[in-house]
Amino acid sequence: MNNKIIQCGNKPLSLAVPQVMGILNVTPDSFSDGGKFTNFEHALKQVEQMVTDGASIIDIGGESTRPGAKDVPEQEELDRVVPVIEAISARFDTVISVDTSKAQVMAEAVRAGAGIINDVRALQNEGCLTAAAQTNVPICLMHMQGLPRTMQANPTYNDVTQDIVTFIAERIEVCKKNGIEKERLIVDPGFGFGKTLEQNYRLLNELAQFEALGLPLLVGISRKSMIGNLLNADVEQRLAGSLAAALISAQKGAKIIRVHDVKATVDALKVLAAAEQPELARG
Ligand code: 9MG
């Protein structure tokens, strides 16, 4: 059920083996690469590198979701992401994902060529269910407790993994009632979004429980505080921890891994694949 091909607009994407989603933030304030790719040409170069390195999806965000991030007005977000999506769509044969929680941005981004909607608010904002239903692309429903500005204040759960599985199961039902078939959905526990360090690692340990939802699982841990705080490492020193988390996620069933360091992650996943199926190992 989870090893399927998903249709991302006009591009099929096989999830038979875990796919790497490269991150392209077109924001001046993102936590890990903040501001580096706001320049248009620089953004396209970064996409070219990520595609060459083996990313099969590029996730473009125009509003930072890091803890404490400020809201961005709709027109500003549109101005940041739509031209970049149009340019990538014209130049590269890659699946484009739009990281947004705004209905109008979802609609315009898909029109411009996005093949996945990645919503960290799981379509809870006004108009998003309708906007997403009117497209034909897959939608990633991510869990977040609270809002980016305050979410790390005091996250509380009865059972972190089961509470999140239940939340996502409820969102799947809401989607179905609003005309979004289950087959179009991808699920994501939302590492770092309203979770303590211990809750994040419990969730990682128990990731296989998301299989019960019967949908592809997306995981984003790359360079996050759950790596930095555990290792006492600055953002630029989090590669080894991020790779370990990517491999654990893949072993526990993740089909899409959202990362900054595409080449290193692709290499690590190739080693995992060879160890899992030595008969397929080739030089
Ligand atoms: C936009 N964004 C930042 N972190 C993320 C994560 O873990 N998952 C998804 N789907 N999107 C994310």
Side-chain angles (χ1 to χ4, degrees):
M1 160 84 102
N2 294 346
N3 293 343
K4 56 182 183 186
I5 293 175
I6 57 170
Q7 191 63 35
C8 304
N10 58 4
K11 296 191 177 71
L13 179 69
S14 169
L15 299 181
V17 293
Q19 300 297 312
V20 170
M21 171 187 261
I23 300 169
L24 182 73
N25 287 315
V26 285
T27 61
D29 64 341
S30 277
F31 82 100
S32 150
D33 54 7
K36 269 197 237 163
F37 303 120
T38 46
N39 173 294
F40 195 78
E41 286 308 318
H42 194 175
L44 292 184
K45 279 247 168 324
Q46 169 71 0
V47 171
E48 185 175 21
Q49 188 64 56
M50 291 196 285
V51 170
T52 303
D53 289 346
S56 44
I57 310 166
I58 304 295
D59 189 42
I60 299 166
E63 177 177 58
S64 173
T65 52
R66 74 183 158 78
K70 293 198 194 99
D71 294 345
V72 172
E74 179 180 280
Q75 191 55 51
E76 195 170 330
E77 194 178 329
L78 284 166
D79 292 344
R80 288 179 186 179
V81 300
V82 171
V84 178
I85 293 173
E86 282 170 348
I88 295 172
S89 177
R91 290 170 175 77
F92 302 96
D93 184 30
T94 184
V95 173
I96 300 168
S97 158
V98 61
D99 153 23
T100 187
S101 296
K102 293 190 183 75
Q104 191 65 20
V105 179
M106 290 175 187
E108 295 289 330
V110 172
R111 228 168 278 141
I116 295 179
I117 294 169
N118 174 25
D119 186 4
V120 299
R121 293 176 181 80
L123 303 183
Q124 292 177 98
N125 277 359
E126 198 183 335
C128 287
L129 284 161
T130 308
Q134 284 168 354
T135 71
N136 62 351
V137 303
I139 299 139
C140 178
L141 300 175
M142 198 200 80
H143 172 272
M144 162 162 47
Q145 187 178 99
L147 292 171
R149 205 186 283 271
T150 53
M151 64 190 176
Q152 290 308 109
N154 181 26
T156 308
Y157 299 88
N158 290 323
D159 171 325
V160 64
T161 307
Q162 270 317 302
D163 288 3
I164 295 172
V165 168
T166 301
F167 167 84
I168 295 198
E170 285 167 5
R171 294 307 299 162
I172 293 169
E173 286 310 309
V174 172
C175 282
K176 283 201 241 168
K177 288 197 182 99
N178 283 273
I180 303 171
E181 324 79 81
K182 185 173 175 185
E183 292 64 37
R184 272 176 63 196
L185 299 174
I186 297 167
V187 299
D188 183 339
F191 283 98
F193 286 84
K195 285 121 189 148
T196 64
L197 191 61
E198 181 180 341
Q199 287 160 354
N200 278 311
Y201 280 97
R202 194 171 296 282
L203 198 49
L204 183 58
N205 181 38
E206 297 175 351
L207 204 55
Q209 291 185 27
F210 284 83
E211 237 170 72
L213 294 168
L215 288 172
L217 179 64
L218 188 156
V219 163
I221 301 181
S222 176
R223 298 187 191 172
K224 284 190 177 168
S225 296
M226 66 178 278
I227 305 293
N229 291 346
L230 186 78
L231 305 179
N232 195 17
D234 290 340
V235 160
E236 300 300 334
Q237 305 300 323
R238 297 179 187 174
L239 177 59
S242 301
L243 293 177
L247 291 185
I248 294 164
S249 303
Q251 285 189 302
K252 290 180 186 275
K255 296 297 177 205
I256 302 176
I257 317 279
R258 184 180 183 275
V259 301
H260 301 85
D261 303 288
V262 171
K263 173 85 168 81
T265 310
V266 168
D267 284 353
L269 289 171
K270 278 186 190 162
V271 173
L272 176 63
E276 285 177 344
Q277 282 188 287
E279 69 279 9
L280 300 182
R282 287 192 181 80

